[in-house]
Amino acid sequence: MDKLVSLQSFVRVVEQGSFAAAARAIGQSRSQVNRAVVALEDDLGVQLLNRTTRTVSVTPSGRAFYQRAKAILTDLDEAEESIRENQEKPAGDIRINAPMSFGTLHLGPALVDFARMYPEIRVELALNDHFIDPVADGFDMTVRISRPTETLALIDHEIIPIRRVICASPDFLHKNGEPTDISDLATLPCLHYGNLPGGSTWKLTGPNGPVSVQVNGVFCCNNAEVLRDAAIAGLGLVELPTFIAGAELQTGRLVTVLCNYTPPEIFLYLLYPPSRQLSSRIRLLVDFMHDRFGGQPHWDLVQ
């Protein structure tokens, strides 16, 4: 039996949850779908699905194989799309993963504009701050804000550096005094990001090189927008990316301090499988991201 047909049948059974639903989805009979999956299991020498009279579940081997099979079928679809020269309008689905704060503040509104520009492209945006493997989790593209990591399995496409600053509200500085040395962070109230491996240790680069300081952490959270709002309320000093604090820095609700000390450089960049490079809609999205966020970011234009 054609292995491609077997792969398509198996993937549809996993996604649909039953042989009958998979058969309806691909326009074949239930027995045809069952034979295709059985042939695939015989060829591999492993059981991919557990079958009872009422339910179908995926075995551990089947779950692992599903991820690879899904990627193969997606790659095939992308390759076919890349040679359709007569396609008048970009069309299809794009599944995007991005961090929560950047997604809500900047990427979400940008993708609304992208969807208006290309109405035939269906955009699915999933926001969370957990590490995501674009291939294993079925995403066409992942937007990251961190230090890029080299991987042969993914294309790493840098857009812009992301600047971070230490800042506080004018009211806080009036009541507590402005820090004049990095050692002041050990006594003045500080707000820190709860997901950082270093906890309340801030790593900075100053006039004499890298330095680590154990700050006086009085409040922590794994969401930088909450930390921004706490800083505006006068709760303490905070280290924030300017894409989150930019508007408040521009209006004076937050003020930068210790400007001679900078956190390690991070970047806004895109990750996607090499095969997606062939997709016209992915190329459009990459170009759009460069146009929207490349160069001098709008959140840093006025200080």
Side-chain angles (χ1 to χ4, degrees):
M1 181 172 289
D2 189 304
K3 185 166 288 187
L4 179 59
V5 172
S6 295
L7 288 177
Q8 291 170 330
S9 298
F10 168 68
V11 166
R12 283 307 181 102
V13 171
V14 174
E15 293 176 344
Q16 298 292 326
S18 74
F19 283 91
R24 288 192 296 271
I26 60 180
Q28 294 185 358
S29 69
R30 187 185 185 285
S31 61
Q32 286 176 307
V33 173
N34 184 62
R35 284 198 300 271
V37 175
V38 170
L40 183 61
E41 290 177 319
D42 289 344
D43 188 48
L44 295 172
V46 297
Q47 184 176 351
L48 301 174
L49 300 173
N50 292 314
R51 306 160 175 83
T52 69
T53 55
R54 294 186 177 182
T55 63
V56 174
S57 61
V58 188
T59 66
S61 296
R63 176 60 59 186
F65 187 73
Y66 166 78
Q67 301 293 349
R68 300 298 298 272
K70 178 68 173 178
I72 290 170
L73 294 176
T74 300
D75 289 347
L76 179 60
D77 289 341
E78 299 287 0
E80 290 176 346
E81 180 188 333
S82 70
I83 62 172
R84 293 190 185 113
E85 297 291 343
N86 60 345
Q87 185 177 8
E88 294 183 3
K89 293 182 180 180
D93 300 335
I94 301 181
R95 297 190 71 233
I96 307 164
N97 172 262
M100 186 67 68
S101 293
F102 186 78
T104 56
L105 292 173
H106 303 289
L107 183 61
L111 289 178
V112 169
D113 291 340
F114 180 81
R116 287 173 177 160
M117 293 169 62
Y118 305 104
E120 302 300 319
I121 297 178
R122 296 179 296 274
V123 176
E124 178 185 340
L125 175 62
L127 300 178
N128 61 64
D129 292 325
H130 300 295
F131 178 84
I132 293 293
D133 182 334
V135 176
D137 292 286
F139 288 99
D140 298 296
M141 179 181 291
T142 294
V143 178
R144 290 246 174 96
I145 297 177
S146 65
R147 296 184 66 84
T149 55
E150 293 185 3
T151 169
L152 296 177
L154 298 169
I155 291 175
D156 183 327
H157 197 110
E158 182 182 320
I159 303 295
I160 50 167
I162 295 292
R163 196 164 67 93
R164 290 183 288 172
V165 297
I166 301 171
C167 56
S169 70
D171 182 59
F172 173 87
L173 297 177
H174 177 73
K175 290 179 179 178
N176 296 273
E178 181 174 341
T180 58
D181 185 78
I182 195 71
S183 61
D184 293 335
L185 297 176
T187 55
L188 290 172
C190 294
L191 322 174
H192 66 90
Y193 190 75
N195 270 354
L196 288 179
S200 56
T201 298
W202 290 3
K203 295 182 178 180
L204 305 163
T205 299
N208 298 317
V211 61
S212 295
V213 58
Q214 187 75 22
V215 303
N216 177 28
V218 298
F219 184 90
C220 74
C221 182
N222 64 349
N223 180 274
E225 292 172 86
V226 172
L227 296 178
R228 176 201 60 194
D229 293 343
I232 292 170
L235 201 58
L237 295 153
V238 67
E239 177 190 303
L240 288 173
T242 55
F243 74 79
I244 289 177
E248 285 67 34
L249 293 169
Q250 292 166 7
T251 60
R253 297 177 75 193
L254 291 175
V255 179
T256 56
V257 299
L258 296 172
C259 297
N260 288 334
Y261 290 87
T262 58
E265 192 171 41
I266 56 176
F267 298 87
L268 169 65
Y269 65 102
L270 312 176
L271 282 178
Y272 50 93
S275 60
R276 302 303 190 272
Q277 229 177 177
L278 301 173
S279 167
S280 60
R281 57 184 180 272
I282 294 298
R283 293 197 303 271
L284 285 171
L285 182 56
V286 171
D287 291 342
F288 175 84
M289 291 287 287
H290 270 290
D291 291 341
R292 186 68 170 244
F293 299 113
Q296 182 75 12
H298 65 83
W299 53 77
D300 275 343
L301 287 178
V302 180
Q303 293 297 319

